[in-house]
Each structure stands twice: as structure tokens, then as C-alpha cells.
Amino acid sequence: MTTVLEPATAQAMAEIPAAGIEETDAAVARAKAAFPRWRAVAPGDRARLLYALAATIEGRHEELSVLEARNAGKPISDARGEIGMTIETFRYYAAAPERLLGRTIPVGGGEAMTFREPLGVVGLIVPWNFPLTIAAWKVAPALAAGNTVVLKPAELTPLTALELERLALEAGLPEGVVNVVAGPGSVCGRRLVEHPDVAKIAFTGSTEVGRGIAAGAADTIKRVTLELGGKSANVIFGDADLEAAAAAAPLAVFGNAGQDCCARSRILVQRSCLDRFMFVFEDAVRAIRVGDPLDERTQMGPVISEEQREKVASYVPGEAVVAFRGSAPEGPGFWFPPTVLAPCSNHDRSAQEEIFGPVAAVIPFEDEADAVRIANDTIYGLSGSIWTRDGARAMRMARAIDAGALSVNSNTSVRVTTPFGGFKQSGIGRELGPDALEGYTEVKSVYFAVDPAASAPGELLDPAAPDTESIS
Ligand code: NDP
């Protein structure tokens, strides 16, 4: 059995059976058996079942929000938003089965066309920071495209994923289409990566584990989507609405207790406005309400585990670099106060490594070129923001920063309808929007002979022209 903890109290909240190799193999076998039937479901019926699943989740919105808030230690208001996004994600992809279009391509002697075929069984490995939402980003497009899935949640936060398996059956999806294995990544996750009957792995988590998954998938030439770490820059120019930028900056890094791959944990501030920025920013950080996830007023909860708290603490070396800190409750639970390190160099460990906790590094810059250089001086390229009132500068910066999802005068970068994913070591492939759907299909090209004689070179062709059939 696995004991599931509540990070705000460090107490057990559930005991669940721990899955191992045998359970993982059984889940893959169920998904494999269900695949022929699921791929043959008429597109309109598949759409109706996905709408039904969205409605079934909606019927449990509050219950799932409370479960997620308790298990992941996140504020209840955030958890409600995340379950809302989960529902929206299933609705968005429910429309997809009837819009999986191919192309017709002009050829001689017949017709050529393309189809988007499902891959088969896909393995989905998700982390603990946004448990059900990130699962939905993968499950919904995978099912819409006609695949069956084996979902492996993080061992720390398996509860809403286990609910999803039950809700899929309740919504009328056939047995074996959605399967959940709750067990350790080093056992169940690894088995999915190695398994010859799994066609693709879609993974969100650390760059380190992502590297191992890419290597492991090579043996069976699995398709891989990796959504990995980040060290995103929040770039604030002197000509920005500084009050708005400084007021928004705290939750852009301390939201979800900093455990967000999009966290703008490097705050790049133009030196000419640094003092003014820090003045407003400090007040905003000190005002963050850190506490009980189930309290409606809470804005930040604990970090996920004692291990994570120790990891985060290792980035806060001494009071010398700590500019200021917010508050955190005393007592049990994995609490860590919002912490601002300033001024930092981009070469500092805290500016280069993904801390995944409530720690921000403030880095001054001189001008636009300096801002681009610092923003790109990282192994990551996931997200980021640009704050300026100069539209042309905003566009130049957005084009120059190597990251998959940027925002201007805003700190949001994730929407159901737009692609999300990383440059460089932040990952491979895209989630959400139409791009994710394509990632769960193979393109098949079919040539249909109609009049084979017509494919021979015609009399209108110049005999000296190269024969296109012989060009490979
Ligand atoms: P991991 O990358 O270890 O975990 C992510 C998922 O992968 C979990 O479901 C985990 O299972 C599974 N997993 C672990 N090892 C393997 C393996 N060998 N093969 C297949 N699957 C595996 O993240 P951690 O939870 O350990 O967090 C560590 C650090 O990773 C964080 O501090 C943060 O820096 C980064 N991280 C980044 C995330 C992001 O969204 N970019 C999300 C989470 C973490 P299980 O947990 O059950 O063992």
C-alpha cells in the first residue's frame, strides 16, 4: 500500500494499493484489447462520449477541487480553476474527432490522400504539480484521436487520476479505454517506456527523468512528447506600467508555491527602474496570504513534500542575498515562505537551476540587447513575459527570446486553445491547441489508382525534362 500525504499537515489522507510491473502490464493489455473497438467508434459518437466525460467531471467539480487542494497542497481557488481547465480541455478535444481532416494531393493516374490514424496504446506520465489538469492535456487529445491510454500519475498525487478512471466509465467510455496505474515512476513509468505494446510516451516532469525517457524510448522507436523544466524570465522594462508589472510578479513565481514549470523565477528588471520596482514588489510579496489550502483567502500553500522543501532550502544560502521574505505558517506541513534573492547574477545557481519552489531571483539589466542575452542564457526555453509600453520593442523581444510560450504585459502562458511546450532542454513537442492532437496521430498517405495509363508521361511533356518518378 502507498500512503498519500496531505502537504499542509504532513498527515496521511489516503492509503492506496501500489501498482508494480504486473499491474502496468495488465493495464497495457486492457488498453491494447480496447483499442480496435475505440478507434472504430464513429467520430460523432466519440465526440459525444468525450462531451459526456467533460459533463461528468463538471458534476464533481467541487469534490475534485477539494481532493486536489488537499493532496497537492494548493489553494482551493486555484484547484477550482484547474478542474475548470480540465473540463474545458475535454470539451475542446471533444470537438476534434469530427475535425481530424486529411488532405487530397494532386497526382497522375489516380488520387492521393492522407489520413490521420491513431497510434494505439499511449503511456502518459504526469507530475504532482497540476495532477489532473496535466493529465487532461494528454488524455483528452489522445482519446479524441482514437488512442487508448495508460495514465501514470505521480506517486505523491494519484487521487484525482484514480477518480478520472472511474468517471470515464461512468460517462460511458468502454472498459479499457482509460487505465490508471498508481505506482512509482522508477517501476511503472519505466515499464511503460520499455513496453513493446506502447506506441508513444507523453511525459511532463523533470528534465533529468525526461532525458532517461528519451533514451529508453529509443529501443522501441516510441514517439515521445516531453514537457520538461523551465527557468523563465519575467522581463520588465523601465517604460512598462511598473505598478502593474510589480503587482503581478509575485504570483507569477510564487503561484502553486513556485512549483510550476512556467514560473517566472528570473525577474529581469531594467536597472533604471530597479528601486521603484523593488519598492512595489516587496509590498506585494509580503501581502501574499500563505496558509491552509482550504481557506478561501489563501493564495499560496505548502510545497509538496519534505524532500522538496529541503531541495528549495538549498538554494537560499545566507541572509546576505535574501532581499526579503514573505510569511509562512509554523508547525507541521511542508511550509516555505516566498523568498526574493536580489540582486543576482544570471550565473548564480539560483538563476540557472529550476528550483521548483517559492524562490525568485531578481537580475538587473541595462538595455534591450542585454535583456535578450540574459533571458536566453539558460538551458531552458519554456515560457516568459515582457512588460513594456513600446509595442515594437515587445514584438522584437517576443521574437528574440527562445521560448515556447511568451506573454506581453501579462504573466499567463497556458490556454487550452494555444500550443504549449519548450525550446531547448524544456522539451520536445507541443501540448494543447491543435498541435497536441497531431502528436497523437500518424499521417498515412494512400494512393488510389483510377486510370494507371494516365500516370505515364503524356505527349505534352518535354522528353528532355527529368523523370520525376526516378528522383528519390
Ligand atoms: P519527476 O520528473 O521525477 O516525476 C515526474 C513523473 O515521472 C512522475 O509521475 C514520476 O513518478 C515519473 N517518473 C520518475 N522516474 C521515472 C522513470 N525512471 N521513468 C518513468 N517515469 C518516471 O519529478 P519529481 O517529482 O521527482 O520532481 C523533481 C523535480 O522535477 C522538481 O523539483 C522540478 O524541478 C522538476 N519537475 C518539473 C515539472 C514540470 O512540470 N516541468 C513537474 C514536476 C517536477 P513518481 O513521482 O511516482 O516516482
Side-chain angles (χ1 to χ4, degrees):
M1 296 297 272
T2 301
T3 304
V4 179
L5 293 183
E6 193 166 356
T9 60
Q11 300 294 312
M13 68 179 281
E15 295 276 337
I16 58 159
I21 300 277
E22 209 177 301
E23 289 77 11
T24 308
D25 285 353
V28 173
R30 285 195 302 276
K32 188 179 176 186
F35 174 62
R37 186 169 164 218
W38 181 243
R39 78 177 300 185
V41 170
D45 290 343
R46 208 184 305 143
R48 270 187 284 283
L49 286 166
L50 290 176
Y51 281 120
L53 178 52
T56 309
I57 298 170
E58 195 167 34
R60 306 284 173 82
H61 196 151
E62 187 60 14
E63 190 189 318
L64 289 167
S65 303
V66 171
L67 198 58
E68 201 83 302
R70 289 184 63 202
N71 189 191
K74 58 179 71 232
I76 182 69
S77 53
D78 289 2
R80 285 192 192 110
E82 289 170 29
I83 303 303
M85 190 187 201
T86 301
I87 297 161
E88 206 192 321
T89 304
F90 277 103
R91 288 223 167 98
Y92 176 77
Y93 288 109
E98 293 171 300
R99 290 168 175 74
L100 265 179
L101 305 180
R103 287 173 293 164
T104 55
I105 300 169
V107 291
E111 303 294 344
M113 62 204 86
T114 63
F115 294 88
R116 290 216 164 255
E117 304 286 11
L119 303 169
V121 178
V122 296
L124 313 174
I125 303 175
V126 299
W128 40 258
N129 52 344
F130 301 100
L132 192 61
T133 308
I134 291 180
W137 295 358
K138 300 176 186 341
V139 174
L143 296 183
N147 303 280
T148 54
V149 306
V150 179
L151 169 66
K152 198 215 82 67
E155 241 195 326
L156 296 171
T157 55
L159 302 179
T160 47
L162 290 165
E163 285 302 310
L164 179 67
E165 187 180 40
R166 284 190 273 275
L167 295 176
L169 290 174
E170 196 180 313
L173 276 79
E175 192 106 21
V177 171
V178 176
N179 307 275
V180 175
V181 280
S186 54
V187 180
C188 305
R190 202 170 166 170
R191 179 65 184 148
L192 284 175
V193 174
E194 290 167 352
H195 204 298
D197 291 337
V198 174
K200 167 175 174 148
I201 295 288
F203 169 80
T204 300
S206 61
T207 295
E208 190 187 343
V209 172
R211 252 181 228 118
I213 286 177
D219 267 351
T220 45
I221 315 288
K222 279 188 179 51
R223 281 75 187 121
V224 183
T225 300
L226 302 173
E227 202 269 275
L228 309 175
K231 196 71 199 177
S232 298
N234 190 2
V235 185
I236 298 160
F237 284 94
D239 65 6
D241 176 345
L242 217 57
E243 273 62 36
L251 287 176
V253 49
F254 303 129
N256 212 42
Q259 303 163 127
D260 181 346
C261 47
C262 289
R264 276 96 166 130
S265 52
R266 289 185 301 149
I267 306 178
L268 276 53
V269 185
Q270 194 158 22
R271 200 179 295 279
S272 56
C273 68
L274 186 60
D275 289 346
R276 205 152 55 90
F277 171 82
M278 290 301 272
F279 185 75
V280 185
F281 181 53
E282 177 166 355
D283 278 354
V285 171
R286 291 193 192 279
I288 294 175
R289 292 184 298 274
V290 182
D292 178 5
L294 295 183
D295 184 330
E296 299 285 345
R297 292 162 308 171
T298 294
Q299 294 174 295
M300 187 185 122
V303 296
I304 191 73
S305 63
E306 184 54 35
E307 190 188 347
Q308 194 67 12
R309 179 164 67 172
E310 282 165 18
K311 181 191 161 193
V312 175
S314 77
Y315 288 90
V316 185
E319 292 302 311
V321 289
V322 176
F324 50 85
R325 307 185 88 167
S327 61
E330 300 285 328
F334 311 124
W335 302 99
F336 199 93
T339 301
V340 176
L341 310 180
C344 295
S345 152
N346 197 52
H347 298 118
D348 294 349
R349 181 172 161 248
S350 55
Q352 285 294 320
E353 296 178 14
E354 183 177 52
I355 299 175
F356 230 59
V359 179
V362 177
I363 305 166
F365 69 88
E366 304 302 333
D367 55 21
E368 209 176 298
D370 201 26
V372 172
R373 184 186 57 74
I374 297 171
N376 285 340
D377 181 15
T378 164
I379 60 166
Y380 298 112
L382 190 58
S383 184
S385 291
I386 301 139
W387 292 79
T388 174
R389 285 192 172 99
D390 178 339
R393 163 179 279 166
M395 189 50 77
R396 282 194 300 274
M397 290 294 296
R399 295 302 303 272
I401 294 176
D402 299 328
L406 291 165
S407 47
V408 175
N409 295 330
S410 157
N411 289 325
T412 57
S413 43
V414 178
R415 282 180 187 75
V416 171
T417 50
T418 57
F420 174 67
F423 281 35
K424 301 193 274 185
Q425 294 190 32
S426 284
I428 298 174
R430 292 294 177 269
E431 299 207 282
L432 299 173
D435 303 61
L437 195 67
E438 293 185 3
Y440 289 98
T441 64
E442 291 282 13
V443 176
K444 181 187 283 173
S445 155
V446 174
Y447 172 70
F448 199 96
V450 177
D451 182 5
S455 66
E459 56 193 29
L460 294 178
L461 277 186
D462 173 0
D467 176 2
T468 51
E469 288 289 316
S470 67
I471 298 172
S472 60

